[in-house]
Structures are given as structure tokens and as C-alpha cells.
Amino acid sequence: MTWPGGPAPGSSGGATDRPPEPVDAAIVFAPAGELVPLALQATERGGTVVLAGIHMSDLPTMSYTEHLFYERDLRTVTANTRADGAAFLRLARTLRIVPEVTRYPFDRTDEALADLRSGAASGSLVVTPG
């Protein structure tokens, strides 16, 4: 496959766009098996690709050297139900777990990404509409 030049820094790009530089990790939310080799190719040595969907179409044949070599990890998640999520939130309330959240308005997304890259951010970063 021929890759486009990739999205501009700070943008998400399309499903098949290669990022401007290799990533540490990638999460594939779409249930599209054809995206898995693309995510692996975009991941640097020692990186991890997580398949976050409960369902996934079949994966295409992959080349060991091109997709998995250099200790790249391919992981899946256990399917959780809505009831599992509700039970987790009840437990979090009982344990008094309070998330640390930093909100960025959409027009400051580049700043949020810069803070994330530099390690200046902690907890969860949330981009809001306004």
C-alpha cells in the first residue's frame, strides 16, 4: 500500500493515513481487520497495538518482518458489558477514586497534544466542544 504523507502534526488524519512519525502505541476501535496491519506498520519498535472492539473482521495475511518484528505487541481486550461498567463505577465510588481530568477547549487541541507529548499533562486529557 502506498501511504500518503500523513496528517499534519496535531491532527488525527484518516484511517489509512500514516502518522508523521512512528507512534508508541495505537488503539484500533473500528471492527475492521484490514486496519490492524496499518496500525502495526505505524508503531515503532517495542510498540503496542490494541484491538479495542468486541467484534473484529478477519485480519489479512501479515508479514512477520513488516508488521510484528522488532518486538511489536498486538493485544486484544476482554469484552465488557454495560453492567460491568456500572459495577466498576460503583466500586470506584466506594473506594473514593477521583479521576484527575484536564479539559481543553477544541480550539486548544494542539496545546493538549503538546502537553501530552512533553509529559506536562497528567491524568486524563479531555477535549471539549467549547
Side-chain angles (χ1 to χ4, degrees):
M1 169 173 211
T2 303
W3 291 80
S11 69
S12 61
T16 61
D17 291 344
R18 182 173 232 159
E21 56 188 60
V23 296
D24 296 328
I27 302 174
V28 178
F29 289 101
E34 66 272 13
L35 296 179
V36 175
L38 303 176
L40 285 163
Q41 285 176 324
T43 306
E44 69 181 1
R45 292 176 174 218
T48 301
V49 172
V50 178
L51 308 182
I54 295 172
H55 301 283
M56 176 71 66
S57 64
D58 289 341
L59 305 183
T61 300
M62 292 187 282
S63 159
Y64 175 74
T65 303
E66 186 177 356
H67 300 105
L68 295 170
F69 195 58
Y70 299 121
E71 301 175 351
R72 289 185 185 106
D73 289 326
L74 180 58
R75 299 191 180 218
T76 61
V77 298
T78 301
N80 292 305
T81 65
R82 186 177 297 252
D84 293 332
F88 172 76
L89 292 173
R90 283 191 302 275
L91 176 63
R93 184 179 326 134
T94 300
L95 297 174
R96 296 188 176 139
I97 295 173
V98 179
E100 182 178 334
V101 178
T102 303
R103 290 176 176 80
Y104 291 85
F106 185 77
D107 62 352
R108 291 181 44 214
T109 300
D110 287 343
E111 182 182 337
L113 291 170
D115 288 350
L116 187 63
R117 283 187 193 111
S118 70
S122 61
S124 297
L125 278 66
V126 177
V127 176
T128 60

